[in-house]
Amino acid sequence: METKAEMNQRIYVQTEDETEFVQSIMEHQDTLISIAYSYLRNRQDALEAVQEMTCRAWIKRRTLNNEKAFKSWIIRILIYVCIDEQRRRKRATPLAKEDLEDSIPASWMISVDDNRIAMESLLQKVKPKYRHVLLLKYYNDMTLTDIASILGKPEGTVTSGIYQFTVNAVMADENRITVLYTARTDASQEIYSTVNMKMTDASTGYLLDNGNAGGMHFSKDKHTIYGRKTIELNRNKPLPEQVNLQFQLSSFVPDVVENLEKGEKERKYKYSKKMNISFALDPKFSIPKTEIINVNRTFTVGGYEVMLSEVEVSPLVTRVRLVYEPDHEIDYKTKLLISEVVRPIEIVTTSKDGKQTNLSTIFGSGTEDGMMYSFSSNLLDHPESMVLKLSGKPDKVYDDLQEAKNDELGIKIK
């Protein structure tokens, strides 16, 4: 429910009364002056920066789409004002400890100690994008969540040189964890891949996965990857509370001549330092349990007998276990032949209201007596019926898609 303060702020932001708008900004006066002072190191300049920010915010007030982000929005404008002032000065001179304590009231800034004075000279050596974080964190006691909101970067973002990695979304159940991420380079190099990616339980160090990076899609400018990392879990073990993702990003180095005699150019690759990012898994992920359906239906495809043994259904994955020639022992070569003939296409589910959903196949892996195929899932839609669709005539070549669908084999799961 909206608090009285939030309601007042919403009214101030939406108002055409400049006095009321300024009043909404002045509710954050101490924080704003403290932030401006941490950038400009001068009380009068800090006050003027807040005044300039107020004017800019009034002019741009219609660009704010979310009133709840009002504080982050005005702080972001204030930082731009301070940067403009720093550029005008060309350089800022750190104050001595005595000047620092005398020039600003205690209520406007956290108490000064020797460590913070020592940090003044260090800040001048730090890149601007990191300096913003340090100023907001250590001079204004802001949380990383607030800083991320102010700087317009998700909290789950890490950088290393020209590389940046952001966790956009996390999904999990007791069978798997799926991470959607964005990886970027700056304009100097094209991004190539994410490599050496592994996930561990952050509290125990237990290795959850160590392998390839999963699916990736490249942006048109070739500087961004939109990726998906999926790992399989042992559902007999509890879902981790927090996980750590370790990886490297790689990029193309601009073409260089490698063979001077032939004048041939080869693409060289550059790798980031090892990067780490940790994130919590919502406890709600572990609530839905896997539904196991014992089907035990036998069918024939391409002259081979196959049994649909069981189906596991969880929020993120549907697993189908097929047993080849259940009444006979078969060798590895025969198993490969059957795998080429038995080709699952999709699972069609129907909900109580008659809505049909097609669950596409993700991948398959061999088992001792057949194959286990993974499909997408719609368990949370509570489907009332499920039918596995397979190619009915695997040797036939089709010119018409409808004819191919007519020949599909449907095996009822439930």
Side-chain angles (χ1 to χ4, degrees):
M1 185 176 179
E2 189 177 45
T3 65
K4 184 176 180 180
E6 290 173 335
M7 181 179 69
N8 288 338
Q9 179 173 285
R10 174 171 53 79
I11 293 173
Y12 293 149
V13 172
Q14 293 177 348
T15 184
E16 289 299 324
D17 188 324
E18 187 173 357
T19 301
E20 289 185 346
F21 184 83
V22 172
Q23 182 180 344
S24 69
I25 292 178
M26 288 302 99
E27 290 178 1
H28 308 290
Q29 174 178 274
D30 288 352
T31 298
L32 295 170
I33 295 176
S34 178
I35 290 172
Y37 188 88
S38 65
Y39 277 84
L40 303 176
R41 320 310 297 150
N42 179 280
R43 176 183 174 182
Q44 186 59 39
D45 288 347
L47 292 170
E48 291 179 0
V50 173
Q51 291 176 348
E52 172 64 18
M53 175 276 296
T54 303
C55 293
R56 293 189 190 183
W58 170 253
I59 294 171
K60 297 180 179 180
R61 66 191 183 281
R62 294 301 177 194
T63 66
L64 177 62
N65 297 319
N66 180 8
E67 290 86 1
K68 292 184 178 179
F70 178 72
K71 183 178 178 182
S72 298
W73 180 68
I74 59 176
I75 291 176
R76 193 180 306 122
I77 295 175
L78 177 62
I79 290 174
Y80 282 122
V81 171
C82 293
I83 291 173
D84 289 343
E85 174 61 19
Q86 287 177 333
R87 288 171 177 165
R88 188 188 67 79
R89 293 180 181 176
K90 298 297 184 182
R91 66 184 183 88
T93 304
L95 297 178
K97 179 176 180 179
E98 294 78 9
D99 295 333
L100 185 60
E101 291 175 331
D102 293 341
S103 61
I104 190 166
S107 63
W108 287 4
M109 188 173 175
I110 302 161
S111 60
V112 179
D113 56 29
D114 291 337
N115 289 333
R116 295 203 173 191
I117 295 299
M119 188 179 286
E120 289 294 324
S121 60
L122 294 176
L123 282 172
Q124 306 308 314
K125 303 174 184 179
V126 176
K127 291 182 179 180
K129 61 182 179 181
Y130 302 127
R131 193 180 304 146
H132 294 315
V133 178
L134 291 173
L135 287 170
L136 296 173
K137 173 68 177 174
Y138 294 105
Y139 280 86
N140 298 281
D141 272 2
M142 287 192 170
T143 66
L144 292 178
T145 301
D146 289 339
I147 294 172
S149 175
I150 291 166
L151 299 182
K153 289 186 177 181
E155 189 175 358
T157 297
V158 291
T159 58
S160 175
I162 65 171
Y163 305 98
Q164 183 184 87
F165 185 95
T166 299
V167 173
N168 300 314
V170 179
M171 300 171 285
D173 60 22
E174 61 180 1
N175 291 303
R176 62 168 47 184
I177 301 173
T178 297
V179 180
L180 304 181
Y181 63 86
T182 303
R184 290 188 174 91
T185 59
D186 65 13
S188 66
Q189 295 182 17
E190 295 177 8
I191 196 162
Y192 175 63
S193 184
T194 55
V195 296
N196 301 325
M197 186 174 282
K198 66 178 182 179
M199 183 180 289
T200 57
D201 185 323
S203 61
T204 65
Y206 176 77
L207 183 63
L208 300 172
D209 180 71
N210 188 2
N212 60 58
M216 293 185 292
H217 172 73
F218 291 82
S219 63
K220 291 183 179 179
D221 64 9
K222 299 181 181 180
H223 295 293
T224 304
I225 286 175
Y226 304 99
R228 181 189 72 251
K229 172 67 173 175
T230 298
I231 68 165
E232 303 297 317
L233 298 175
N234 181 349
R235 65 170 175 264
N236 294 320
K237 293 187 177 182
L239 190 71
E241 294 181 3
Q242 184 144 341
V243 296
N244 182 68
L245 191 62
Q246 185 183 89
F247 54 92
Q248 289 177 280
L249 302 182
S250 62
S251 57
F252 290 115
V253 177
D255 288 341
V256 293
V257 176
E258 283 299 306
N259 190 323
L260 296 178
E261 294 181 0
K262 296 182 179 180
E264 295 178 350
K265 291 184 178 181
E266 290 185 6
R267 302 217 75 167
K268 287 292 184 180
Y269 304 95
K270 180 180 178 180
Y271 296 87
S272 70
K273 295 179 180 179
K274 287 185 178 180
M275 303 171 70
N276 289 276
I277 190 166
S278 295
F279 47 89
L281 297 180
D282 194 320
K284 293 179 181 178
F285 287 149
S286 61
I287 294 177
K289 299 303 178 184
T290 302
E291 178 185 354
I292 299 178
I293 306 171
N294 293 309
V295 183
N296 296 324
R297 286 194 173 90
T298 303
F299 56 95
T300 301
V301 178
Y304 295 104
E305 191 174 77
V306 180
M307 182 172 70
L308 173 53
S309 175
E310 67 179 23
V311 176
E312 300 177 0
V313 186
S314 64
L316 294 185
V317 63
T318 303
R319 292 177 176 145
V320 173
R321 184 185 175 201
L322 299 178
V323 177
Y324 298 157
E325 296 289 353
D327 297 327
H328 303 88
E329 288 189 11
I330 58 173
D331 56 22
Y332 181 70
K333 183 178 180 180
T334 304
K335 186 190 297 185
L336 289 178
L337 289 173
I338 300 175
S339 297
E340 293 177 1
V341 172
V342 179
R343 294 185 298 201
I345 300 171
E346 62 186 4
I347 294 176
V348 180
T349 71
T350 306
S351 60
K352 187 176 181 179
D353 60 3
K355 177 185 176 182
Q356 284 196 344
T357 303
N358 295 49
L359 308 180
S360 58
T361 181
I362 302 173
F363 61 86
S365 58
T367 61
E368 185 177 346
D369 52 8
M371 287 285 289
M372 179 78 81
Y373 288 94
S374 294
F375 297 78
S376 53
S377 174
N378 69 331
L379 173 66
L380 301 183
D381 291 337
H382 307 290
E384 289 199 337
S385 72
M386 303 176 68
V387 177
L388 174 66
K389 295 286 188 176
L390 303 98
S391 176
K393 297 180 179 180
D395 296 330
K396 185 175 180 179
V397 178
Y398 295 93
D399 295 324
D400 182 71
L401 290 177
Q402 187 57 49
E403 184 183 359
K405 288 196 71 66
N406 292 337
D407 284 343
E408 285 179 359
L409 186 63
I411 310 298
K412 183 178 180 181
I413 297 172
K414 72 170 186 177

